[in-house]
Amino acid sequence: METKEKKSLIEALLFVSGEPVQFTVLKSISEIQEAELKQLLDDLIREYHERDSGLHIVEIANGYQMVTNPYYAQWIKKLKNTSSSAKLSMPALETLAIIAYNQPIIKAELEQIRGVNSDGVVKTLLDRRLIKILGRKEVPGKPLLYGTTREFLQYFGLKDLSELPTLKELAREEAA
């Protein structure tokens, strides 16, 4: 298979997926060697970016995904007729940040940090699949442990949790 065909195959796989596709899955399906596949993906990411296409290929949520160019978001929203209900409330964002930076975390710890009951917000975040139950903490009562999901990474456009800003960076921004 020629390089052009391999790139077209990768594009097709990413296009039909609609979700981030892990590198190992792309390698398995395409049967392209690891180093060559990585190079092809890097080339495609660069090519889409350079031509300022309506589509981009990004490394996100521990995989690769074909996404729309953020520049066209206002028109895409009109097409999709999306409402502001897709946005998260301030309490939801606050709760999500606490979970992201302290995971795994139980609801009692979360509520101690927030200072308010978090039942409704936790349920909303679970329903939207931004957080998940990771298991139970080995303490009396065995409370549920919560952590973030791949959907969380997708929602915020992160490759992995290491891309979250550090608390020092956030403190500097707040002080500025």
Side-chain angles (χ1 to χ4, degrees), residues 4 7 41 43 68 71 77 84 103 108 112 146 158 166-167 175-176:
K4 183 181 180 319
K7 284 183 179 180
L41 283 162
D43 290 349
T68 56
Y71 176 79
K77 285 180 183 176
S84 61
Q103 61 186 311
Q112 183 179 17
Y146 297 97
L158 303 171
T166 65
L167 296 176

Side-chain angles (χ1 to χ4, degrees), residues 66-126:
M66 188 171 279
V67 298
T68 56
N69 184 333
Y71 176 79
Y72 302 105
Q74 65 183 0
W75 294 282
I76 294 167
K77 285 180 183 176
K78 286 180 186 178
L79 175 68
K80 291 300 210 172
N81 197 20
T82 53
S83 65
S84 61
S85 66
K87 294 181 181 177
L88 292 172
S89 67
M90 285 308 290
L93 282 171
E94 177 183 84
T95 302
L96 199 50
I98 292 167
I99 293 170
Y101 282 99
N102 295 286
Q103 61 186 311
I105 187 170
I106 62 172
K107 197 160 66 67
E109 295 166 336
L110 171 65
E111 290 173 345
Q112 183 179 17
I113 294 169
R114 285 194 69 219
V116 296
N117 181 299
S118 299
D119 289 343
V121 177
V122 168
K123 182 184 179 330
T124 299
L125 294 173
L126 283 167

Side-chain angles (χ1 to χ4, degrees), residues 8-78:
S8 294
L9 169 62
I10 294 166
E11 287 174 314
L13 293 172
L14 295 177
F15 180 79
V16 298
S17 166
E19 299 270 324
V21 181
Q22 292 181 344
F23 183 85
T24 54
V25 172
L26 285 171
K27 183 180 168 214
S28 171
I29 292 170
S30 69
E31 299 176 354
I32 299 171
Q33 294 298 316
E34 188 169 326
E36 183 182 11
L37 179 59
K38 179 67 175 139
Q39 184 61 53
L40 291 169
L41 283 162
D42 289 344
D43 290 349
L44 281 168
I45 289 169
R46 183 182 37 74
E47 289 168 13
Y48 272 82
H49 184 72
E50 285 176 357
R51 69 179 182 223
D52 203 22
S53 170
L55 298 173
H56 286 176
I57 294 176
V58 295
E59 192 172 354
I60 189 169
N62 297 314
Y64 293 86
Q65 184 174 14
M66 188 171 279
V67 298
T68 56
N69 184 333
Y71 176 79
Y72 302 105
Q74 65 183 0
W75 294 282
I76 294 167
K77 285 180 183 176
K78 286 180 186 178

